[in-house]
Amino acid sequence: MRRLLRSPLWLALLIGAVIPALGLSDPVGQGYWNVCYKLFHESAPASIVVVNSDDIADMGTAGQTQLFDLVRGAKPARLFIDTKLQRGVTKDQVAALRAAIARLSPDTAFVSRARKFDQFDRAAFDFPDPAVIGAHPVVLSAWTVNMFHYVESGPSAIAIDGTVRPVLATELAHLPARPEQTIYPDFAIDPSSVTTFSARHLLDGQVPASALAGKQVVIAGSGQGTNPNYFGQGPVSPVVLDIAGAVSMRKPWPFTTMQLPLLALVALVLALARRQPRRRLAYSALVVLVLVVPAVLRTVGIVCYPDAAICAMVAFAAIRLWQKRVRKIQHTSASGLPNMLALSNSELPPGRDVVVAAIARYDEMLATLPQDLHDECARQIARRIAVACEATELYHADGGHFAWTEEARPLDMQLSHLEGLRALFASPVMVGTHTFDINIHFGLDRNEGVKTATRVNSALASSNEALANGRAIELFEAHRLAEAPWELSLHSRIDEGLRDGDIWLAYQAQWDIATNRICGAEALIRWNHPTRGAIAPNAFILQAERAGRIDALTYWVLDQAITAALAINAKGERFQMSVNLSAQMVDKPDLVGNFAAIVARRGVDPTLITVEVTETSAVGNRPAAVHNLTRLRQIGFRLSIDDFGTGEASLAYLADLPSDELKLDRCFVSRIVTSPRDRAIVASTIGLAHALGQTVVAEGIEDAATLALLRQMGCDYAQGFYLGRPQPFVVFEREYTARRQRQSGAI
Ligand code: C2E
Ligand code: CA
Ligand code: CA
């Protein structure tokens, strides 16, 4: 119910239904019909003639007696006497009038009008004295009015004291009296077009009596109650209403449809047009229909009130305008630019890419600016962006993100376009007297067909990623969207994997090249997911980092690797165990404490554990990382720099870190046989490491030639598929023991 009420359509329909039901829509109808009947004009039927008897009032009974005789002589089709009968001064005069009345044709009817509007009972009518009118019938006239005293309708017959009496309109229309029928006068009838003769002119011969021959004649006088109001006109002589009523009753379809059909039409059009691009046209057409249809239908007799439909349309428009206003407020950021919500809620045309720019250290910039320049800062940046891209609308999220859409060019063009935009920020931005170097990173979403809000979020996430990784542009890959639910629930899935044994460690042997013996192993994580199959560690380590689950995983690996190391060391020979430490974790404050606690708990000599760290820019806080690694080494852990040579700051790392071992990356090692250049790099790295007192491990050895070359170069340790693949511990241990028993572990 609440949801329905929040929808403008339902709320508008409810208002459209309730207001007329409470009788509060009269002003709407009043305005409508008044305007309508100012525009529509029709002439009254010539077959009905009114004789105005006001101007012979001073002649008393004598005037009426003469008039009645004259009209009778003119042979009207039918006569209605709608005027008060004069009282007469002398008995003779009264007798003469009664005699004249008696001479009238028996179907001559006397009209009795209700004294008030909306009243149809016995008390409303003064019946003429039967002693005066004899057996002549009495017809009635009574109307209902709206709150402005404009007549709307009336009954076609009224039952009084058990007798159904027709009203004048029914009689003029020559229709049978049916009390259940309602008459809606046709206000198009122009009151001034009713043929009206002055009684005096008839009596003095200015108008020939023959003008009344064959007509329905109503002798009407004023003074019977207040004059009713007539749409499009105001107050009129009451007989005009009876004539307009008669005309409407003779129309081809004299019935009323009330409010419902038009309200239903409004509901239908509003519902269908809601999400259509051309809805404005539909709305305009609807307004025209609602305004025109009732007026047109009325010309053929069908009465259809537009009140409910107009109320619903006005309510709908008002609600929509109000919503638009609220949305405008909701959709504006502090800087006055539209915000991300505005973009998310908008519908993108086809062929657009969503771009989000993240400004590095935006909050710091704002912190150095006085409050009143904060908005200016955002606008300056927005202006700079707008210079380069064709975006007409730029969206701003507080916190230094700007979004817009770009034409979906081929990827390489789009990337170079954004690079160009980045170059535009090479010159500093001036805000007041402050100058800032702006470092801008872009997130790009090209996944057309996905909801705008999702695309904005994707581009936003990518821009944050670009910012964190120091990359210029990060493209949001569509498959990540499919991965999102998986990634988001990874936290619990990793716990599940650890519990169920789907996550386990493989051990890959490390050989001492000089002695041809296995001297250690590297613990490598594996995940055999029950439904997704084997997941490559590179993939889920990254996801675990994102999901904030890498710490738990690392401690679990260390603990498992210690178990393995203890088991093999127990056999007598020194066995070194290497574990990998994610770059995300190196700078964490609790890292050293936790590592120390684990080795202490397991009672293992930390020198048996080698911690492999890669040098990547993903290390957030470099000084903290260096501090942590130095402390780990002080505790006794051996430190190995993994993938040496691939990172951006290998030498710097080497200079900062008092490490024990360098691990030459597979990409150099695998090519030393074929590439003299790589051979030179490996040779000089080995030399460098030795000069710094470090040992060298070569990983990724896949053949005998490579191993032989490395031996020649003086490399200390070797690891690779050629020497042994990563294996489950039981297999690894079995092979290790077998080899040891043979005592001749020749490579
Ligand atoms: P990494 O530390 O460089 O590990 C060596 C990778 O090279 C392993 O891949 C190993 O299977 C593979 N490898 C060894 N010898 C050869 C060879 O001769 N030829 C080829 N082509 N490959 C060889 P894996 O197990 O897929 O691990 C990939 C990466 O995942 C690792 O690279 C490491 O960065 C990460 N990783 C694995 N286990 C863990 C872990 O427990 N914690 C963390 N933080 N990262 C881990
Ligand atoms: Ca490694
Ligand atoms: Ca490596």
Side-chain angles (χ1 to χ4, degrees):
M1 186 64 189
R2 260 210 187 144
R3 208 175 60 90
L4 284 188
L5 284 184
R6 238 180 260 145
S7 129
L9 175 63
W10 286 108
L11 195 55
L13 292 178
L14 190 70
I15 291 172
V18 166
I19 288 190
L22 295 178
L24 300 175
S25 67
D26 281 0
V28 176
Q30 174 73 20
Y32 179 79
W33 295 117
N34 249 333
V35 171
C36 256
Y37 290 120
K38 278 211 158 56
L39 303 175
F40 285 86
H41 288 287
E42 240 178 74
S43 291
S47 59
I48 302 174
V49 169
V50 173
V51 174
N52 187 342
S53 64
D54 280 352
D55 55 357
I56 55 162
D58 56 338
M59 293 169 69
T61 40
Q64 286 191 329
T65 309
Q66 277 182 43
L67 183 66
F68 291 171
D69 279 334
L70 179 126
V71 173
R72 177 176 52 85
K75 294 203 171 16
R78 193 161 176 203
L79 176 62
F80 298 93
I81 297 173
D82 181 19
T83 184
K84 246 195 182 144
L85 293 174
Q86 299 285 353
R87 291 201 175 277
V89 183
T90 65
K91 267 193 175 172
D92 288 352
Q93 286 173 332
V94 174
L97 180 60
R98 288 188 186 185
I101 290 171
R103 280 191 296 275
L104 292 169
S105 143
D107 68 348
T108 299
F110 285 80
V111 180
S112 174
R113 294 192 175 274
R115 271 188 296 248
K116 285 186 192 160
F117 297 115
D118 305 342
Q119 206 182 340
F120 311 130
D121 55 9
R122 179 69 186 82
F125 300 97
D126 282 330
F127 280 62
D129 185 356
V132 177
I133 66 163
H136 289 294
V138 174
V139 297
L140 308 176
S141 180
W143 301 101
T144 36
V145 292
N146 69 12
M147 63 164 75
F148 303 98
H149 272 261
Y150 273 68
V151 168
E152 286 197 324
S153 60
S156 85
I158 301 167
I160 285 176
D161 300 338
T163 320
V164 173
R165 289 173 198 271
V167 298
L168 178 54
T170 315
E171 290 293 287
L172 287 172
H174 301 298
L175 289 168
R178 281 189 288 147
E180 72 282 3
Q181 194 190 359
T182 305
I183 305 169
Y184 296 87
D186 184 350
F187 299 102
I189 297 299
D190 186 351
S192 66
S193 70
V194 175
T195 315
T196 308
F197 298 124
S198 133
R200 190 171 284 275
H201 289 171
L202 278 165
L203 288 182
D204 65 16
Q206 272 192 47
V207 175
S210 60
L212 309 180
K215 313 275 183 185
Q216 299 203 77
V217 176
V218 184
I219 298 176
S222 56
Q224 290 208 17
T226 43
N227 277 359
N229 282 319
Y230 190 90
F231 284 122
Q233 302 287 339
V236 291
S237 158
V239 73
V240 173
L241 275 165
D242 301 304
I243 295 170
V247 171
S248 83
M249 289 175 88
R250 301 291 314 179
K251 294 254 160 163
W253 294 289
F255 65 88
T256 170
T257 68
M258 298 312 289
Q259 318 256 7
L260 219 58
L262 265 194
L263 189 63
L265 176 78
V266 169
L268 188 75
V269 173
L270 292 184
L272 290 181
R274 223 168 0 159
R275 300 200 193 289
Q276 301 303 321
R278 311 191 65 175
R279 56 178 173 272
R280 290 221 169 145
L281 196 75
Y283 292 161
S284 311
L286 181 65
V287 171
V288 173
L289 268 180
V290 166
L291 294 182
V292 167
V293 161
V296 170
L297 288 182
R298 192 104 184 214
T299 62
V300 292
I302 301 171
V303 178
C304 161
Y305 282 106
D307 309 17
I310 292 176
C311 287
M313 286 192 316
V314 170
F316 185 77
I319 296 167
R320 287 306 297 259
L321 279 177
W322 178 73
Q323 277 185 335
K324 251 190 191 164
R325 212 187 116 70
V326 169
R327 209 166 292 154
K328 192 161 182 214
I329 294 169
Q330 282 174 347
H331 283 180
T332 308
S333 72
S335 61
L337 292 166
N339 60 20
M340 296 289 186
L341 192 63
L343 177 58
S344 296
N345 287 352
S346 66
E347 216 144 298
L348 295 186
R352 306 298 295 179
D353 283 358
V354 177
V355 185
V356 171
I359 308 295
R361 304 170 69 182
Y362 187 76
D363 291 332
E364 284 173 51
M365 277 163 55
L366 291 191
T368 63
L369 281 174
Q371 185 76 32
D372 55 327
L373 283 180
H374 286 191
D375 304 349
E376 179 56 21
C377 179
R379 282 196 293 268
Q380 284 286 352
I381 295 173
R383 223 166 283 152
R384 185 78 62 97
I385 295 173
V387 168
C389 53
E390 79 252 59
T392 46
E393 193 86 272
L394 263 161
Y395 303 82
H396 174 219
D398 303 323
H401 290 92
F402 295 82
W404 67 96
T405 67
E406 289 274 356
E407 173 203 338
R409 311 175 173 89
L411 184 59
D412 52 339
M413 277 174 70
Q414 193 70 294
L415 295 181
S416 54
H417 169 70
L418 291 177
E419 286 288 0
L421 181 52
R422 198 171 147 87
L424 257 188
F425 280 91
S427 60
V429 165
M430 291 278 295
V431 184
T433 55
H434 302 253
T435 309
F436 295 107
D437 291 327
I438 301 281
N439 204 346
I440 192 165
H441 302 263
F442 301 105
L444 176 62
D445 177 282
R446 294 167 63 85
N447 301 306
E448 220 174 283
V450 178
K451 276 209 301 227
T452 312
T454 310
R455 298 189 63 186
V456 172
N457 282 333
S458 305
L460 197 65
S462 295
S463 76
N464 285 336
E465 221 166 283
L467 185 70
N469 300 338
R471 293 175 53 141
I473 306 161
E474 192 76 48
L475 176 68
F476 190 88
E477 308 283 359
H479 64 81
R480 269 184 53 190
L481 223 44
E483 285 290 290
W486 155 261
E487 275 186 34
L488 294 176
S489 63
L490 198 67
H491 205 292
S492 53
R493 283 173 207 268
I494 286 177
D495 292 346
E496 222 171 75
L498 292 174
R499 196 182 55 231
D500 301 347
D502 298 331
I503 295 179
W504 53 282
L505 288 183
Y507 296 87
Q508 187 179 26
Q510 293 186 334
W511 292 72
D512 182 333
I513 296 180
T515 63
N516 277 348
R517 279 170 178 272
I518 294 174
C519 58
E522 178 179 3
L524 293 161
I525 200 156
R526 295 288 176 266
W527 192 351
N528 296 340
H529 193 268
T531 54
R532 295 168 75 97
I535 305 174
N538 278 330
F540 79 84
I541 292 289
L542 191 79
Q543 292 177 337
E545 284 171 353
R546 279 200 202 123
R549 207 65 189 132
I550 190 67
D551 318 39
L553 211 54
T554 306
Y555 300 136
W556 178 85
V557 169
L558 178 62
D559 199 61
Q560 293 284 304
I562 287 174
T563 307
L566 288 176
I568 295 186
N569 271 291
K571 296 178 195 293
E573 237 172 290
R574 185 186 168 86
F575 185 85
Q576 191 71 27
M577 180 61 76
S578 294
V579 291
N580 292 284
L581 185 61
S582 157
Q584 283 268 318
M585 274 190 69
V586 208
D587 57 353
K588 295 285 173 292
D590 50 0
L591 172 77
V592 177
N594 285 334
F595 264 53
I598 293 172
V599 288
R601 177 166 53 81
R602 300 302 310 273
V604 66
D605 172 8
T607 61
L608 290 177
I609 309 294
T610 301
V611 179
E612 297 189 3
V613 226
T614 44
E615 4 112 52
T616 71
S617 56
V619 178
N621 182 344
R622 212 171 179 82
V626 171
H627 174 78
N628 273 351
L629 295 174
T630 311
R631 291 248 344 260
L632 280 180
R633 193 157 175 266
Q634 281 164 358
I635 293 169
F637 289 99
R638 282 187 83 237
L639 220 60
S640 172
I641 299 179
D642 204 353
D643 304 339
F644 188 80
T646 58
E648 296 153 18
S650 302
L651 285 175
Y653 220 57
L654 202 57
D656 283 350
L657 269 186
S659 51
D660 303 280
E661 177 182 280
L662 283 191
K663 250 185 128 166
L664 280 171
D665 193 67
R666 195 165 74 224
C667 70
F668 300 112
V669 174
S670 59
R671 291 191 301 239
I672 53 172
V673 178
T674 50
S675 158
R677 205 183 148 78
D678 284 332
R679 195 156 57 234
I681 291 173
V682 168
S684 59
T685 307
I686 292 171
L688 174 72
H690 285 167
L692 291 172
Q694 323 236 342
T695 55
V696 180
V697 185
E699 68 178 351
I701 299 167
E702 294 187 352
D703 51 47
T706 308
L707 180 65
L709 246 169
L710 285 163
R711 175 180 281 132
Q712 252 179 39
M713 289 175 178
C715 182
D716 306 292
Y717 303 104
Q719 182 182 348
F721 289 171
Y722 174 65
L723 297 165
R725 290 190 174 252
Q727 287 163 323
F729 183 69
V730 273
V731 182
F732 179 87
E733 191 195 24
R734 197 170 52 231
E735 286 186 5
Y736 175 84
T737 315
R739 208 174 277 277
R740 208 170 148 256
Q741 277 166 359
R742 275 187 259 131
Q743 283 299 315
S744 55
I747 306 174

